[in-house]
């Protein structure tokens, strides 16, 4: 069974750095074609793709947020970590990690349950 | 970046109705399009990938069509559990991905 689970702080202060961890099971991020991505959703708003890391450790970022984002993986721990610097109240959102593969048309076939992050002083 | 525009933004329908949601890309994306269903407080669920391929376990009343810039998601006979928000997602510029703004499907 494939699962992903996000973890991290529920509350961060403006200007702080957010660190989120996605812990997954049921697949290996070393397998060719396998990727894990982060997506966020502000309350009542649409989904926004943030970042992706692939099996070959290539990393890709949203054009609008790339200066603030860093994605990394620890294959031995089955974890993907996202950091976002200089947090602002507009970054308040539910943050999801999800698996994406070419064999599923580069669609997100399995999602974590999401973790809500509030940015407030 | 490729922009994805869904229409309508919201739609009201009754159980048993046939419903169609449209997604338009700002440039051609071949068949690199997926559809998701999201219920309140839950993560999105993949329904359709590669424009028309049904994800395993998804009821056959859901179908997708289109290629290039215009795509549709059709629910042939609405069931009570189908009332949710639906999103399209393009993967033509993978790994740079974009979502539509969502379509809320409400009970009439």
């Amino acid at each position: 069974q494939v699962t992903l689970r996000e973890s991290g702080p529920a509350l961060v202060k403006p200007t702080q750095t957010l660190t989120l961890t996605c812990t997954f099971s049921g697949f290996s991020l070393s397998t060719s074609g396998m990727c894990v991505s982060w997506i966020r959703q502000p309350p009542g708003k649409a989904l926004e793709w943030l970042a992706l890391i692939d099996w070959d450790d290539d990393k890709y970022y949203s054009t609008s947020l790339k200066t603030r984002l860093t994605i990394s993986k620890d294959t031995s721990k089955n974890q993907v970590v996202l950091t976002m610097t200089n947090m602002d109240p507009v970054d308040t959102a539910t943050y999801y990690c999800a698996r994406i593969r070419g064999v599923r048309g580069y669609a997100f076939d399995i999602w974590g349950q999401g973790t809500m992050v509030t940015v407030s002083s | 970046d490729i922009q994805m525009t869904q229409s309508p933004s919201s739609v009201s329908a009754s159980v048993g109705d046939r419903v169609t949601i449209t997604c338009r890309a700002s440039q051609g994306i071949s068949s690199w399009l997926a559809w998701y269903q999201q219920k309140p407080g839950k993560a999105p669920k993949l329904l359709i990938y590669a424009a028309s391929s049904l994800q395993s376990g998804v009821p056959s009343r859901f179908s997708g069509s289109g290629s290039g810039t215009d795509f549709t998601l059709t629910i042939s006979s609405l069931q009570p559990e189908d009332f949710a928000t639906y999103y399209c997602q393009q993967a033509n510029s993978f790994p740079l991905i974009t979502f539509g703004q969502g379509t809320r499907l409400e009970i009439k």
Side-chain angles (χ1 to χ4, degrees):
Chain A
Q1 182 187 7
V2 175
T3 64
L4 300 98
R5 185 183 75 251
E6 305 87 351
S7 59
L11 179 66
V12 297
K13 290 180 167 49
T15 76
Q16 286 187 335
T17 294
L18 172 68
T19 299
L20 296 173
T21 300
C22 175
T23 303
F24 57 87
S25 63
F27 68 96
S28 173
L29 198 41
S30 298
T31 302
S32 179
M34 202 70 71
C35 310
V36 170
S37 205
W38 285 93
I39 302 111
R40 72 178 179 180
Q41 185 173 38
K45 296 188 177 181
L47 301 163
E48 179 184 20
W49 175 75
L50 299 177
L52 180 146
I53 190 164
D54 71 14
W55 76 99
D56 207 23
D57 207 33
D58 292 319
K59 302 159 187 177
Y60 305 90
Y61 301 100
S62 161
T63 303
S64 60
L65 291 167
K66 60 183 178 182
T67 61
R68 299 174 53 205
L69 297 173
T70 303
I71 192 170
S72 62
K73 66 182 174 78
D74 186 331
T75 305
S76 65
K77 293 183 178 179
N78 280 353
Q79 291 182 333
V80 171
V81 175
L82 181 76
T83 62
M84 180 180 291
T85 61
N86 194 24
M87 293 292 285
D88 182 272
V90 301
D91 298 313
T92 293
T94 297
Y95 287 75
Y96 296 99
C97 62
R99 184 178 76 169
I100 183 169
R101 303 178 292 163
V103 294
R104 280 296 177 269
Y106 297 109
F108 300 103
D109 62 345
I110 307 292
W111 295 64
Q113 84 280 4
T115 186
M116 178 66 192
V117 177
T118 301
V119 185
S120 175
S121 54
Chain B
D1 291 6
I2 298 175
Q3 308 301 316
M4 307 301 294
T5 303
Q6 291 182 231
S7 60
S9 297
S10 65
V11 58
S12 296
S14 301
V15 173
D17 283 353
R18 179 183 180 92
V19 171
T20 298
I21 297 168
T22 297
C23 182
R24 175 165 289 175
S26 59
Q27 64 188 73
I29 60 169
S30 185
S31 294
W32 296 109
L33 187 99
W35 290 98
Y36 300 87
Q37 177 193 68
Q38 187 179 35
K39 296 181 178 179
K42 299 295 186 182
K45 172 188 173 184
L46 177 63
L47 301 175
I48 302 285
Y49 63 93
S52 60
S53 296
L54 194 66
Q55 172 70 345
S56 176
V58 174
S60 59
R61 63 180 179 274
F62 291 92
S63 64
S65 65
S67 67
T69 60
D70 294 315
F71 301 84
T72 58
L73 172 70
T74 299
I75 310 171
S76 60
S77 178
L78 272 174
Q79 298 302 301
E81 61 267 29
D82 299 337
F83 293 95
T85 300
Y86 293 84
Y87 292 94
C88 62
Q89 170 241 313
Q90 70 81 20
N92 185 72
S93 58
F94 180 87
L96 303 183
I97 288 160
T98 47
F99 291 92
Q101 82 281 13
T103 295
R104 185 174 178 181
L105 176 53
E106 301 173 317
I107 300 173
K108 184 181 286 185

